[in-house]
Amino acid sequence: MPRTRRRRPGDAGDHLGRRSHQHVQLHRHRQLPPRARRGHQDRDHHGGRVRGPCRAGDPGRADPRPPPVPGAGRPAADRAGHLRDPVTTRTPAGRVEIAGVAAEVATLLRELAPDLWWYDRSPFLSDSARSALPWLRYERRDHRAEAADGPPGPPVPARSVPAGRVGITFAPEDGTGARSWAAGRGLRLLAPPRAAAEVAADKIDSLRLFERAGVTVPATGVVLADPGDAESCWAAGGGRPVVVQRRANNLTGKGTRLATDVAQLRAVLGDWRGEPLRVSAFTPGIPLTVSGCATGDGTAVSAVSHQLVGLSELTPYWGAHCGNQLVADDELPAGVGRRCRQVCEQVGDQLRELGFRGAFGLDLVAAVDGTVFAVEINPRFQTVVSLVHAQEIAAGLLPMLGAHALASLLPSVPVRRVRTACLALSQLVVPVVHRGVLDAIPASGCYRLEAGELRPLGHKQLTDLRPGEALLWQHARPGDRVRPGEELVLVQLPHRAAPVGERPALAPVARAWVDAVHRATTVMEGPPR
């Protein structure tokens, strides 16, 4: 059974290296149960009340089901025999409409920002843009070191920087690390105003934004978590499954849990006791992400992707992000692709009213009847943008990173809409399995999968990958203290990783890559963090 091997000090070395709601109008929040009225009362941002006693909960508890082990359930003899699975064809499934900035505008961007930097934990996103932005430079961001430094310090004072020196990062709102880096480098950090990003990222505050945008959301209420209210909260939802979300963003889905009965709801309310929580009717459907860029005079809506969420082969967390794959309009229910683009444009226009400029992502659910529900806003670059870059460049557009820079630097940006063949690209987030100190991990680069083992090939662009090849990107490094569920490696594939659906099983070839990464990774036992 393939799984990450746990090493102990003194073991032999490893050759891979060391160290429902109806359209337009939002439901009014349901009245909270009587028990909650005896606690503290705060008014939420929608006129409803948030009630109940306060005590910190445990944010790390997973959905109450036994955690699966990545790699379990497939005989070893099967690992190398599924590389021709029909779901993994490279042939584009159809066409897609995307909007963006014409590729020739890169000349203007180079004049405005001749010193352009990308700051992130690995260069997977900047690498996918480099063919269109050859002067783009990369520097590694160490999120672990930032977290080890304790709570964020005071805001970094703005300094005057030379014209043309520009920095962009993955999550500028995450602490003060990005702003400190930019100040130290003498760069202008191209990031939206913190206040605008905070409203968009907040699972509760964003409800008002969705309402103003006139988009459909699942029937939603806000409660102050108290396990004693589980029965009345369950009854208020009609006795049907609900999705419970903490308000904070950047939790990679671990702040979202499904409750299918009263006992599970009670457990969630107990784990997050005292926190204001968003409780929404569970809406079955295909999870989608649409990538957009808010400019001074409109919203450029780029590619739609199928979001892989809570796949049992990769995570025990019901709401955890596991990857994405680009999707064509004809792979979705009729009209869904067009409606996704409309919703993104409507939400982007509301973000622009807040002063937001630049890249953002919108998580949606497409129901069987074609209704598109807005779920949450990610006011930053998302991992899927690396695939979106490839789609944009193939369509003759500037990659999103360049569009973000122009939207931040110019009051108006010309946007072009094109219809193009959808690229059959996907990526998976391979997680850590064992707690300890990471000792060996595949280096970032291109690999071929041969008899279940990783064979390094050097480096290739994502769109140059051939069948049986993949790009691997380290999201942890030897010497890091790691724990189960954290991101280990990003695997990018030149084909579909799974069928398009609500919670599909991974295709055998995709599963084989996950297994191979785990076999090539070792973790030494170490003290818990």
Side-chain angles (χ1 to χ4, degrees):
M1 178 171 67
R3 52 186 296 177
T4 306
R5 179 164 60 90
R6 186 190 297 273
R7 281 193 62 183
R8 293 175 172 79
D11 283 358
D14 190 283
H15 72 282
L16 287 173
R18 304 255 164 255
R19 312 257 177 282
S20 164
H21 181 78
Q22 292 302 311
H23 180 52
V24 177
Q25 187 176 11
L26 182 70
H27 264 210
R28 293 185 60 81
H29 298 312
R30 298 188 181 94
Q31 185 70 24
L32 295 178
R35 177 186 177 95
R37 299 190 185 118
R38 297 194 293 269
H40 303 299
Q41 298 186 1
D42 293 305
R43 193 165 288 277
D44 69 20
H45 292 270
H46 318 285
R49 289 190 180 276
V50 180
R51 311 171 190 262
C54 295
R55 182 174 68 81
D58 174 14
R61 177 162 174 163
D63 186 67
R65 57 179 175 171
V69 177
R74 182 171 298 282
D78 288 351
R79 292 176 191 145
H82 295 271
L83 299 183
R84 295 183 181 177
D85 191 86
V87 78
T88 61
T89 175
R90 283 179 60 103
T91 305
R95 302 185 72 78
V96 66
E97 182 180 289
I98 63 174
V101 180
E104 55 266 26
V105 182
T107 302
L108 172 61
L109 177 58
R110 189 162 196 166
E111 293 173 0
L112 294 170
D115 204 357
L116 181 63
W117 290 77
W118 173 251
Y119 186 50
D120 194 18
R121 59 186 164 183
S122 85
F124 75 96
L125 198 145
S126 56
D127 187 78
S128 64
R130 196 174 303 280
S131 64
L133 308 174
W135 73 99
L136 176 64
R137 303 169 73 182
Y138 164 77
E139 185 168 339
R140 180 174 178 265
R141 182 177 183 182
D142 191 343
H143 289 272
R144 294 173 187 273
E146 290 178 20
D149 290 339
V156 178
R159 299 179 184 175
S160 116
V161 299
R165 290 183 53 77
V166 165
I168 307 173
T169 188
F170 191 87
E173 77 280 6
D174 188 7
T176 58
R179 286 172 169 79
S180 297
W181 165 77
R185 278 282 185 189
L187 301 171
R188 175 184 171 186
L189 185 65
L190 300 185
R194 183 178 289 275
E198 287 176 350
V199 169
D202 191 294
K203 303 285 197 310
I204 295 173
D205 290 347
S206 60
L207 291 170
R208 289 284 299 275
L209 193 151
F210 284 145
E211 186 174 17
R212 292 195 302 271
V215 300
T216 309
V217 301
T220 299
V222 176
V223 303
L224 199 63
D226 185 335
D229 295 331
E231 287 79 5
S232 51
C233 187
W234 181 257
R240 291 183 291 272
V242 293
V243 176
V244 185
Q245 293 177 291
R246 302 174 74 198
R247 71 186 312 161
N249 206 302
N250 272 350
L251 297 176
T252 63
K254 299 181 182 67
T256 297
R257 288 168 62 178
L258 174 69
T260 59
D261 56 37
V262 174
Q264 290 184 1
L265 182 57
R266 185 181 299 111
V268 175
L269 297 178
D271 290 343
W272 296 334
R273 184 194 294 265
E275 293 188 40
L277 301 175
R278 173 175 163 182
V279 182
S280 305
F282 170 65
T283 304
I286 303 171
L288 301 170
T289 294
V290 57
S291 301
C293 183
T295 73
D297 48 9
T299 300
V301 181
S302 191
V304 177
S305 61
H306 175 209
Q307 186 173 187
L308 303 174
V309 181
L311 302 188
S312 60
E313 298 100 325
L314 293 170
T315 181
Y317 295 96
W318 179 83
H321 172 250
C322 296
N324 293 81
Q325 50 193 8
L326 298 177
V327 65
D329 288 354
D330 61 6
E331 295 179 279
L332 302 172
V336 163
R338 174 182 54 81
R339 182 63 188 138
C340 287
R341 292 187 286 272
Q342 290 175 344
V343 171
C344 184
E345 187 169 0
Q346 290 168 247
V347 172
D349 290 347
Q350 288 301 314
L351 288 173
R352 188 174 67 256
E353 293 296 319
L354 297 176
F356 186 99
R357 300 290 185 273
F360 68 95
L362 191 60
D363 290 347
L364 310 168
V365 172
V368 175
D369 65 1
T371 303
V372 173
F373 294 89
V375 177
E376 65 182 68
I377 306 167
N378 294 288
R380 62 187 188 284
F381 286 88
Q382 294 178 281
T383 307
V384 71
V385 171
S386 55
L387 306 184
V388 172
H389 278 169
Q391 183 71 77
E392 290 166 331
I393 292 170
L397 299 176
L398 203 62
M400 179 72 71
L401 196 151
H404 172 94
L406 289 171
S408 303
L409 294 168
L410 297 175
S412 179
V413 179
V415 171
R416 173 186 297 176
R417 184 172 297 177
V418 298
R419 190 156 183 83
T420 186
C422 180
L423 301 181
L425 300 175
S426 65
Q427 60 189 22
L428 297 171
V429 178
V430 180
V432 174
V433 175
H434 297 301
R435 183 186 300 271
V437 178
L438 185 61
D439 185 62
I441 181 175
S444 294
C446 181
Y447 289 82
R448 171 171 287 280
L449 194 59
E450 296 180 356
E453 300 298 324
L454 300 175
R455 302 301 179 202
L457 298 177
H459 181 72
K460 282 188 176 184
Q461 289 292 315
L462 177 59
T463 50
D464 292 334
L465 294 176
R466 299 172 62 83
E469 298 176 352
L471 289 178
L472 272 56
W473 301 99
Q474 285 187 357
H475 282 185
R477 289 192 168 190
D480 286 345
R481 293 192 177 277
V482 296
R483 54 187 173 185
E486 292 182 343
E487 295 188 11
L488 182 69
V489 170
L490 181 72
V491 178
Q492 297 185 314
L493 301 166
H495 49 65
R496 297 284 188 262
V500 176
E502 186 170 343
R503 285 175 185 266
L506 287 179
V509 64
R511 180 64 173 268
W513 279 101
V514 173
D515 293 345
V517 169
H518 280 299
R519 284 193 295 274
T521 301
T522 56
V523 175
M524 295 178 64
E525 290 185 334
R529 305 194 265 167

